[in-house]
Amino acid sequence: MTIVVPGSAQRAVGNRWVGRVATFVWFLLLCLGGFLAWKYATDRATFLGYFTNSDKLALARFGLISVGFLWLCLFIDAWRLGSTFRLSFMRAAAITVINVAIIAGVAGSTAYASQLIKVSRETVKTVFKATETTPPLKGRYNILMIGSDARKDRTGIRPDSMTIASIDATTGRTVLVSLPRNLQNVPFAKDSPMRRVYPYGYNCGPTCLLNAVHTAAQNRKDLYPDSADPGLDATIDAVEGATNLKINYYVMINLNGFKGLVNAVGGVEMDVKTRIAMFGHDDSYKQTYIEPGLQKLDGQKALWYARSRVASDDFTRMGRQKCLMAAMLNQLSPQKVLVNATRIAESGKELLSTNIPAVELGQFADLALKSRGSKIAVVSLVPPVVSTVNPNFPAIHTMIQTAIDKSEAAPTTSGPKKKDPTQRAANTTDDLAASC
């Protein structure tokens, strides 16, 4: 009776006042659950936002612990009301074992849920500290994803990868715009302070690549006096100038922290097309490889899959990175996220830095769910379509806008894709999953 309707046992044979209160609270909780179910059906973004609001999470944790404790008390009292000492030994033992199992189950699940809420709340407060929001621009959110490869032997961040996720604010349809790190002569956005220094673009020679903008501007407080990271702001200005897309938010991904995320979800399954070296030019003596074939990659192998350039090049690597992103998107089911939520949250604190505010997470979670199963279009500014030395930026802007217009149109069925062992086809496609 206590499992089905808490308090009903007390109303039948125990303290009726306790039973009435417990049943009333249970009824209120059922009504709340029904209300949230209605909200989920009509306003999923708001509902998902409850799980990313630190104040609501703290309240939910307190409520969960309170309800769990009171429910445990009702089970213990129901065991007492069952008068087990009047029963035969076998019956009393059976009831006691069942009751202890129920109590352990309630206590264990309450403790797990409480810990999950605690870790999630800490992650939200640590990672999503920003408060300023920006509305969708021309009906789209443009989020710059930067792969950070900061190390002791390097000056500045030197981003290994830069990709804009341009997301339709209504449907969630996504276009990935990928920029090679060695793009030259990049113009800065019209309102950028860097444009005063480089009015004709970042054109100071072959070392002035897109991924060097951060290093060039990281100490320019004179240009970005209110910025905590002038180099990052300058990089965003350069990306905006190169793509003609206004950036809403950025997400900087620590590549070493990425290993923790992959391990947290139990690895990622990839169809490895060619042998991939797990070493660089300076440690070629290792001679360890990821062999071709369908296999599950752990965090270390997934990182090498995304980064390796030995017997490869930047553009092939960019294609593999997109295939890895597509695989993670398709394989991270809500069930897998829930089971591994604590480990994912812990890895997130090492993985991400971003200016996405917590209040936007519900909206983006809703868009992520909407985008599942839809095709991801990709535009990459790579040869032979784009020269990385002398890029035609007006043509690049047109190419990007055409891909966005096509993505917003009614979806079409694409023909079969030719097998591409280099995975370069993933750099420019209207169906990323099919190209991988």
Side-chain angles (χ1 to χ4, degrees):
M1 293 173 70
T2 305
I3 293 175
V4 179
V5 181
S8 58
Q10 285 73 20
R11 294 188 68 173
V13 294
N15 188 317
R16 293 185 177 180
W17 182 84
V18 172
R20 290 191 185 100
V21 172
T23 304
F24 178 71
V25 171
W26 181 248
F27 174 76
L28 287 181
L29 290 175
L30 290 177
C31 291
L32 177 61
F35 170 74
L36 291 178
W38 174 79
K39 287 288 289 184
Y40 179 84
T42 58
D43 190 1
R44 187 167 59 181
T46 299
F47 175 75
L48 293 171
Y50 292 155
F51 296 94
T52 55
N53 182 296
S54 60
D55 294 333
K56 288 183 173 64
L57 286 174
L59 182 62
R61 188 180 184 217
F62 174 78
L64 178 69
I65 293 174
S66 300
V67 170
F69 174 76
L70 294 174
W71 204 6
L72 286 176
C73 291
L74 291 176
F75 276 118
I76 294 172
D77 188 50
W79 175 79
R80 178 186 65 83
L81 294 173
S83 302
T84 54
F85 296 109
R86 297 183 183 181
L87 303 175
S88 66
F89 175 78
M90 292 301 297
R91 290 184 177 182
I95 290 176
T96 300
V97 168
I98 292 173
N99 201 53
V100 169
I102 292 172
I103 290 173
V106 172
S109 58
T110 300
Y112 175 78
S114 174
Q115 176 64 14
L116 177 60
I117 292 174
K118 177 178 179 289
V119 173
S120 299
R121 182 170 182 265
E122 290 175 353
T123 302
V124 169
K125 293 181 69 175
T126 302
V127 177
F128 301 96
K129 297 179 291 186
T131 57
E132 185 177 350
T133 62
T134 63
L137 307 168
K138 298 180 180 179
R140 304 187 73 83
Y141 288 105
N142 297 316
I143 302 174
L144 175 62
M145 299 180 291
I146 303 175
S148 166
D149 192 26
R151 299 200 305 258
K152 292 181 180 180
D153 61 339
R154 285 189 170 186
T155 302
I157 286 178
R158 290 280 183 178
D160 256 16
S161 63
M162 283 165 279
T163 301
I164 299 173
S166 182
I167 307 166
D168 188 293
T170 303
T171 66
R173 290 180 190 160
T174 301
V175 176
L176 297 180
V177 180
S178 186
L179 298 94
R181 67 188 187 93
N182 61 339
L183 197 64
Q184 297 185 37
N185 302 309
V186 177
F188 292 93
K190 292 181 179 179
D191 57 349
S192 171
M194 288 289 281
R195 196 177 179 95
R196 299 198 299 268
V197 183
Y198 300 100
Y200 304 106
Y202 194 44
N203 61 348
C204 48
T207 60
C208 289
L209 310 177
L210 176 58
N211 76 330
V213 171
H214 189 284
T215 302
Q218 63 182 351
N219 296 318
R220 297 303 302 265
K221 278 286 188 180
D222 57 319
L223 298 178
Y224 298 90
D226 300 323
S227 173
D229 189 346
L232 176 60
D233 286 339
T235 300
I236 292 173
D237 289 347
V239 169
E240 289 182 343
T243 62
N244 200 33
L245 295 176
K246 188 70 175 177
I247 301 299
N248 293 84
Y249 302 109
Y250 75 87
V251 176
M252 186 172 290
I253 302 171
N254 180 287
L255 294 183
N256 285 320
F258 174 74
K259 292 189 296 185
L261 174 63
V262 175
N263 288 330
V265 299
V268 57
E269 191 173 272
M270 295 296 304
D271 184 7
V272 182
K273 305 294 185 182
T274 58
R275 203 182 197 203
I276 296 173
M278 293 181 63
F279 54 85
H281 294 291
D282 297 332
D283 56 356
S284 58
Y285 62 88
K286 292 182 178 179
Q287 293 296 306
T288 53
Y289 295 88
I290 303 172
E291 299 296 339
L294 186 64
Q295 55 183 292
K296 180 167 284 189
L297 305 181
D298 61 14
Q300 181 71 5
K301 288 184 177 180
L303 185 58
W304 276 110
Y305 178 88
R307 296 188 59 203
S308 181
R309 282 190 294 161
V310 172
S312 183
D313 54 40
D314 278 330
F315 311 125
T316 300
R317 180 174 71 165
M318 289 169 65
R320 291 200 309 269
Q321 289 171 354
K322 292 175 188 63
C323 290
L324 184 61
M325 292 166 63
M328 293 286 286
L329 177 65
N330 291 330
Q331 294 175 34
L332 279 180
S333 64
Q335 295 87 347
K336 182 177 287 189
V337 171
L338 181 61
V339 171
N340 300 285
T342 300
R343 296 177 65 193
I344 292 173
E346 288 288 357
S347 69
K349 288 188 285 187
E350 300 178 3
L351 173 70
L352 300 176
S353 60
T354 180
N355 65 343
I356 297 177
V359 295
E360 290 277 60
L361 294 180
Q363 169 75 2
F364 287 131
D366 183 45
L367 291 175
L369 290 174
K370 287 180 178 179
S371 70
R372 285 181 64 85
S374 62
K375 297 175 182 177
I376 299 175
V378 178
V379 177
S380 294
L381 313 185
V382 298
V385 178
V386 174
S387 168
T388 57
V389 178
N390 295 300
N392 183 339
F393 287 103
I396 288 173
H397 298 168
T398 300
M399 183 169 64
I400 293 172
Q401 189 58 50
T402 299
I404 290 175
D405 293 342
K406 187 175 181 181
S407 172
E408 290 179 341
T412 58
T413 302
S414 59
K417 300 289 182 177
K418 294 181 180 180
K419 290 187 177 181
D420 174 20
T422 68
Q423 294 184 308
R424 279 199 181 194
N427 281 325
T428 305
T429 177
D430 58 357
D431 188 353
L432 177 58
S435 298
C436 290

